[in-house]
Amino acid sequence: MATDISDTTHAFEAAAVMKLLPAPPRLLALGEPTHGEDTLLDLRNELFRQLVEQEGYRTIAIESDCVMGLVVDDYVTSGTGTLDEVMEHGFSHGWGASAANRELVRWMRAHNDGLPTSERLRFAGADGPLEITHAASPRQALTALHGYLAAHLDVELLPCTAETLDRLLGTDDRWTHPAAMTDPSQSVGRSAEASRLRLLADDLVALLDAQTPQLITATSRDDWDRARLYGRTAVGLLRYHYWMADTSPARMTRLLGLRDQMMADNLLAVAERGPALVHAHNSHLQREKSTMRMWDQPLLEWWSAGAIVSAHLGEEYTFLATALGTIRHQGVDAPSPDTVEGLLYALPEDRCVIDAPRLATALGDTRPAPRVSPWFGYAPFDPAHLAGSDGLVFVKDVPQS
């Protein structure tokens, strides 16, 4: 493929990214095609620093538990806890062990030191309290929402007492039983108690919405925002558990879609604060439908969080996919020259950002072949997604973290 694509590439920096866009977006989404590589997280940190210093961005959201993320936000905004405690308790999916994540939190805390509240950087988890093997108990989110409302409203307005919630919730291990992910009969999501909790969660969220003027005045917008997070997380978890108990063929498609819907709701809430950088897997942030093969099931398809958010925000949502050349420590060697990654691997730059729509035009009707990964943990860039991406970040070689 002899197409000259050198004029579609730019240095990887915030200023170059902004030049690709009609206007600075409210949500700038940076995807990654694999997890756990600090090289990619260092790149994310560098871009966030530049966005903060040059473009006035104030929030970063990553693919981690939104409730656990409150621990990180408290630390970076007000110094609550220690860095070690925050890395242990503020991240899901094992992300707290990452040196790059530790450096991000350390830098955000140092940056905020001495700044007025309105100018401090904020941290958010974009994901729900969900792991591959299980979903969390709704206890933490539901009881925190109830506690907030009980502290500031007449008791007669509340649909139940804290004791009722505790009784209906039972032990947390009922909810997190790992067998429930593959065996619907092991899920408590359609028990009488869970059904009652779904109704109560709905009533508590409705009460939060109805009493917004009083609650914001009595507490603060930040406290009210946090209660909203608890509310949508409780409702989302109870819905997720309900569908974990489903026995229909659509069960896994529904669960994958619900996770991204929860992520989308969190990202739309982040967008209300002002410009933010979002970092997650490409498949969660792309505008196209996401796909996955699991176990012996046919190909699963669902709308990603990015597709949902893009539908809401339009041009205020920007997506930069990341593509890689090699991850040699995982058996991913130099890409074939007839793939998107192969075309970019031939360029002299170790990393760059590509004008994706312009590259699509340069390639014309001749689309590169899809790359096939020898390692399950890396998802190559789909050349059919070029036109749907605002930019493409390319990293030539990813060394072992």
Side-chain angles (χ1 to χ4, degrees):
M1 200 175 289
T3 309
D4 181 13
I5 60 169
S6 58
D7 64 345
T8 69
T9 67
H10 308 274
F12 178 78
E13 55 189 22
V17 169
M18 290 301 168
K19 285 179 183 175
L20 299 179
L21 310 175
R26 185 167 286 269
L27 285 184
L28 175 55
L30 174 64
E32 62 175 5
T34 185
H35 285 320
E37 299 295 343
D38 272 358
T39 296
L40 302 183
L41 303 189
D42 288 336
L43 210 68
R44 171 207 66 190
N45 293 354
E46 183 180 332
L47 179 61
F48 183 53
R49 282 194 292 268
Q50 293 175 3
L51 290 170
V52 168
E53 293 163 359
Q54 300 167 23
E55 304 292 338
Y57 277 56
R58 287 286 176 270
T59 301
I60 186 167
I62 75 166
E63 187 184 331
S64 184
D65 181 335
C66 59
V67 177
M68 295 178 80
L70 299 173
V71 173
V72 186
D73 191 52
D74 284 344
Y75 176 75
V76 299
T77 55
S78 57
T80 303
T82 68
L83 182 55
D84 286 343
E85 290 167 349
V86 168
M87 299 314 296
E88 182 178 355
H89 302 294
F91 292 85
S92 60
H93 303 85
W95 301 156
S98 159
N101 281 337
R102 187 182 185 89
E103 174 55 23
L104 171 69
V105 175
R106 187 209 62 76
W107 177 79
M108 290 177 72
R109 177 69 205 123
H111 178 93
N112 283 343
D113 195 29
L115 287 179
T117 302
S118 61
E119 295 178 24
R120 290 175 193 164
L121 305 181
R122 302 292 300 272
F123 179 94
D127 209 350
L130 306 168
E131 295 282 358
I132 292 171
T133 55
H134 66 273
S137 162
R139 173 182 298 279
Q140 184 179 0
L142 203 50
T143 56
L145 172 62
H146 185 278
Y148 173 80
L149 295 171
H152 304 290
L153 299 177
D154 291 337
V155 68
E156 293 81 7
L157 291 174
L158 296 169
C160 65
T161 65
E163 290 73 23
T164 297
L165 284 184
D166 185 61
R167 176 177 56 79
L168 292 170
L169 284 161
T171 59
D172 287 348
D173 58 8
R174 295 172 65 238
W175 299 91
T176 58
H177 191 13
M181 184 51 75
T182 53
D183 181 0
S185 69
Q186 300 298 312
S187 171
V188 298
R190 297 195 178 184
S191 64
E193 294 87 352
S195 298
R196 175 81 176 125
L197 285 168
R198 287 189 82 187
L199 292 172
L200 291 174
D202 183 67
D203 280 340
L204 288 167
V205 170
L207 183 59
L208 177 69
D209 289 341
Q211 298 295 325
T212 292
Q214 177 179 333
L215 291 168
I216 288 180
T217 302
T219 61
S220 68
R221 185 166 192 100
D222 270 355
D223 288 343
W224 177 77
D225 272 339
R226 182 166 290 203
R228 287 173 68 211
L229 184 152
Y230 289 134
R232 65 177 175 268
T233 301
V235 169
L237 278 173
L238 286 161
R239 184 182 293 128
Y240 193 92
H241 281 287
Y242 177 86
W243 288 103
M244 280 183 79
D246 183 38
T247 57
S248 79
R251 177 177 181 265
M252 283 311 303
T253 299
R254 177 91 65 168
L255 292 177
L256 291 165
L258 285 174
R259 180 187 178 193
D260 271 82
Q261 182 186 337
M262 290 177 73
M263 291 181 72
D265 289 343
N266 285 330
L267 292 179
L268 289 169
V270 165
E272 292 175 11
R273 290 184 191 162
L277 176 67
V278 181
H279 189 253
H281 199 280
N282 286 334
S283 63
H284 288 306
L285 299 177
Q286 65 192 32
R287 290 188 175 91
E288 297 80 7
K289 271 193 168 180
S290 298
T291 60
M292 180 187 287
R293 288 198 184 276
M294 292 186 74
W295 309 312
D296 56 351
Q297 301 201 15
L299 187 70
L300 304 172
E301 292 186 311
W302 72 98
W303 287 110
S304 73
I308 297 168
V309 171
S310 181
H312 282 277
L313 296 184
E315 285 192 348
E316 290 195 297
Y317 179 78
T318 289
F319 172 52
L320 305 177
T322 296
L324 307 176
T326 72
I327 324 173
R328 296 190 193 278
H329 56 281
Q330 298 291 3
V332 181
D333 293 323
S336 170
D338 64 346
T339 61
V340 168
E341 289 89 347
L343 283 171
L344 300 175
Y345 199 73
L347 296 171
E349 295 86 359
D350 289 330
R351 59 184 203 175
C352 56
V353 61
I354 296 98
D355 185 330
R358 192 170 174 185
L359 176 58
T361 301
L363 294 172
D365 295 331
T366 309
R367 279 289 180 268
R371 187 183 190 185
V372 178
S373 172
W375 175 51
F376 73 93
Y378 159 61
F381 182 74
D382 185 342
H385 292 178
L386 265 178
S389 304
D390 300 291
L392 183 62
V393 175
F394 183 68
V395 180
K396 184 171 265 188
D397 299 293
V398 177
Q400 191 157 5
S401 296

